[in-house]
């Protein structure tokens, strides 16, 4: 069964996409809550290796990832700012933007919503000038496709 990635309006300066994945929220949450596995899903092509931090994050935890964007390598340390087991996980980058994942049980599996929330950063105008919201939208869509393909036909 194929479920298209859909655009969701969650307000100004938020890029949000949603998809239905044919598995349970705990299976998806286990993958999201382990920063050492983020490269398995990354649809943007920016996540690299050399992850440091816990294998299962909790509220307030920090983790670091090697990244590469526009050909430039860098390392980012994020802090978990929202956490509800099997339902919600969000981390804030040092610049202030937040990546948020929401999971809702559904008869078809799990409704997965990913949001790039840059309403929380003073760098928002710079993000817009550089085209980051559109690039991140494409990355989110590909990430959700990877997630869906990973679990297609397995689980709920």
């Amino acid at each position: 069964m194929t479920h298209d990635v859909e655009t969701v309006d969650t307000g100004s300066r938020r890029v949000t996409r949603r998809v239905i994945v044919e598995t349970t929220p705990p299976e998806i949450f286990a993958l999201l809550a382990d920063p050492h596995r983020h490269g398995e899903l990354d649809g943007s092509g920016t996540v690299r290796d050399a992850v440091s931090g816990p294998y299962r994050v909790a509220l307030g935890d920090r983790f670091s990832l090697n990244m590469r964007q526009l050909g430039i390598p860098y390392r980012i340390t994020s802090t978990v700012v929202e956490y509800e087991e099997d339902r919600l996980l969000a981390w804030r980058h040092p610049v202030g933007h937040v990546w948020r994942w929401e999971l809702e049980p559904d008869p078809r599996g799990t409704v997965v919503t990913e949001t790039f929330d840059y309403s929380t950063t003073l760098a928002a105008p710079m993000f817009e000038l550089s085209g980051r919201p559109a690039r991140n939208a494409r990355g989110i869509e590909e990430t959700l496709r990877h997630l869906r393909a990973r679990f297609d036909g397995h689980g709920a």
Side-chain angles (χ1 to χ4, degrees):
M1 182 192 292
T2 301
H3 307 286
D4 292 333
V5 174
E6 61 181 290
T7 299
V8 181
D9 183 358
T10 53
S12 178
R13 295 187 163 159
R14 290 182 184 95
V15 177
T16 304
R17 301 292 186 268
R18 174 173 51 212
V19 72
I20 296 170
V21 178
E22 295 179 26
T23 194
T24 64
E27 284 190 74
I28 297 169
F29 195 84
L31 183 58
L32 299 174
D34 181 354
H36 297 264
R37 298 182 69 194
H38 286 183
E40 294 176 30
L41 293 176
D42 174 42
S44 69
T46 60
V47 176
R48 297 296 185 240
D49 56 3
V51 178
S52 64
Y55 283 87
R56 177 82 172 195
V57 296
L59 190 62
D61 282 349
R62 294 166 53 94
F63 62 91
S64 298
L65 298 167
N66 282 350
M67 309 283 288
R68 183 178 203 87
Q69 192 165 30
L70 302 175
I72 301 167
Y74 61 99
R75 186 164 181 85
I76 195 84
T77 299
S78 298
T79 304
V80 177
V81 294
E82 298 175 47
Y83 182 98
E84 185 181 337
E85 185 76 22
D86 299 333
R87 305 249 333 145
L88 172 68
L89 183 60
W91 49 87
R92 181 182 310 276
H93 283 225
V95 176
H97 57 285
V98 174
W99 287 95
R100 180 176 298 108
W101 290 83
E102 298 169 82
L103 308 175
E104 269 183 71
D106 183 272
R108 299 162 291 175
T110 302
V111 177
V112 180
T113 305
E114 183 182 1
T115 300
F116 165 61
D117 183 352
Y118 66 104
S119 68
T120 57
T121 179
L122 295 175
M126 188 171 65
F127 283 5
E128 291 166 346
L129 282 173
S130 70
R132 184 172 283 189
R135 276 195 315 276
N136 285 348
R138 289 188 299 273
I140 289 170
E141 289 165 9
E142 196 58 30
T143 296
L144 292 174
R145 286 184 190 104
H146 286 174
L147 183 64
R148 185 185 60 214
R150 177 186 193 98
F151 292 105
D152 226 9
H154 303 99

